[in-house]
Amino acid sequence: MVPYAVWVLIFVVAPILLLLYYSFFDIHGEFSLINYQRFFTPVYLKLTISSFWYAFIITAISLLVSYPTAYFLSKTKHKQLWLLLIIVPSWVNLLLKAYAFIGIFGAYGAANYILEWIGIGSRQLLFTDFSFVFVAVYNFIPFMILPIFNAINGLNPALIDASHDLGASRRTTFRRVIFPLTLEGVKIGCQVVFIPALSLFMLTRLIAGNRVITLGTAIEQHFLVTQDWGMGSTIAVFLILIMFIIIRITGFRKRGA
């Protein structure tokens, strides 16, 4: 446990304490609570609400796509191979995938070519909310599928057979047996998607053209542009608190615990 404890202290606890320390200094380097007062102004509250909204949309769409995919994937013959094919794109660098989608959604990209081919005509797809959400969902889907797939794959088939033997329809079996027993995987998937989605900043710049501003974008701006490390640290502190609250709310307890 000693190496693990040292790792956590150096790379987790120490950075959080450093952020907390910087959050009490204003842009002039003087000790102040002004950053915490500014966070509760309409500008940053609106930014927080916007971040939650986009994170919710990304998580909801990812779940709607991932659960049926994971369910049907668990029924296929070569399920592990198909799962590997879904996970492999997540190994590619996020920056490379972002630039690939810039080409796809660009004025002369594949997306506009398809729209022209079906008669809709060229559209401005890049630097829109649609492109931002689409690319974010694409990047997060493997992380949503994996825990749901593991939960479905770990189901005892006897429980499903018993449900059918007792006269339950497929829909009732799914609603009363399959989904409740895989809810743990859904919670984990929502955690690993919603929490990072709150702090996205690279996609907001490259794909959304800074039309979408999140807490992660604000942190980047304060640290790299305005050089207001205190305000950037304050936003980061609140973001960490929000993440802990989300983990606590969506946490689960083992049966019988």
Side-chain angles (χ1 to χ4, degrees), residues 14-54:
I16 293 176
L17 292 178
L18 191 61
L19 285 173
L20 186 62
Y21 170 78
Y22 276 117
S23 69
F24 290 105
F25 290 90
D26 60 19
I27 194 170
H28 304 294
E30 298 178 358
F31 182 85
S32 174
L33 296 176
I34 187 64
N35 295 322
Y36 288 90
Q37 295 175 2
R38 289 174 59 192
F39 185 83
F40 290 100
T41 57
V43 173
Y44 289 100
L45 290 178
K46 183 179 179 181
L47 180 63
T48 303
I49 294 173
S50 176
S51 298
F52 268 90
W53 172 249
Y54 281 108

Side-chain angles (χ1 to χ4, degrees), residues 3-129:
Y4 175 75
V6 172
W7 177 275
V8 171
L9 286 173
I10 295 176
F11 295 105
V12 178
V13 177
I16 293 176
L17 292 178
L18 191 61
L19 285 173
L20 186 62
Y21 170 78
Y22 276 117
S23 69
F24 290 105
F25 290 90
D26 60 19
I27 194 170
H28 304 294
E30 298 178 358
F31 182 85
S32 174
L33 296 176
I34 187 64
N35 295 322
Y36 288 90
Q37 295 175 2
R38 289 174 59 192
F39 185 83
F40 290 100
T41 57
V43 173
Y44 289 100
L45 290 178
K46 183 179 179 181
L47 180 63
T48 303
I49 294 173
S50 176
S51 298
F52 268 90
W53 172 249
Y54 281 108
F56 172 77
I57 292 296
I58 292 169
T59 304
I61 296 176
S62 298
L63 179 60
L64 289 174
V65 174
S66 299
Y67 199 101
T69 303
Y71 181 80
F72 289 112
L73 193 65
S74 66
K75 306 299 181 183
T76 58
K77 184 177 181 180
H78 304 288
K79 62 182 75 174
Q80 299 299 334
L81 175 61
W82 288 108
L83 184 64
L84 178 63
L85 293 176
I86 291 174
I87 295 176
V88 163
S90 65
W91 299 349
V92 179
N93 184 273
L94 178 61
L95 185 61
L96 294 178
K97 289 188 285 188
Y99 277 112
F101 274 104
I102 290 176
I104 293 173
F105 287 133
Y108 302 101
N112 269 317
Y113 175 79
I114 294 174
L115 291 178
E116 290 182 353
W117 182 70
I118 61 179
I120 296 178
S122 180
R123 293 288 187 273
Q124 174 60 41
L125 300 176
L126 195 60
F127 306 140
T128 62
D129 289 3

Side-chain angles (χ1 to χ4, degrees), residues 101-158:
F101 274 104
I102 290 176
I104 293 173
F105 287 133
Y108 302 101
N112 269 317
Y113 175 79
I114 294 174
L115 291 178
E116 290 182 353
W117 182 70
I118 61 179
I120 296 178
S122 180
R123 293 288 187 273
Q124 174 60 41
L125 300 176
L126 195 60
F127 306 140
T128 62
D129 289 3
F130 165 79
S131 61
F132 168 70
V133 172
F134 185 95
V135 177
V137 169
Y138 168 82
N139 283 288
F140 284 128
I141 274 180
F143 303 102
M144 180 71 80
I145 288 178
L146 188 58
I148 296 176
F149 172 82
N150 289 334
I152 296 175
N153 198 47
L155 280 178
N156 186 350

Side-chain angles (χ1 to χ4, degrees), residues 189-215:
C190 289
Q191 283 182 0
V192 299
V193 172
F194 188 87
I195 292 175
L198 277 175
S199 56
L200 284 174
F201 70 92
M202 183 186 299
L203 296 182
T204 59
R205 181 182 295 275
L206 296 177
I207 303 298
N210 280 340
R211 287 172 54 88
V212 176
I213 305 297
T214 63
L215 292 174

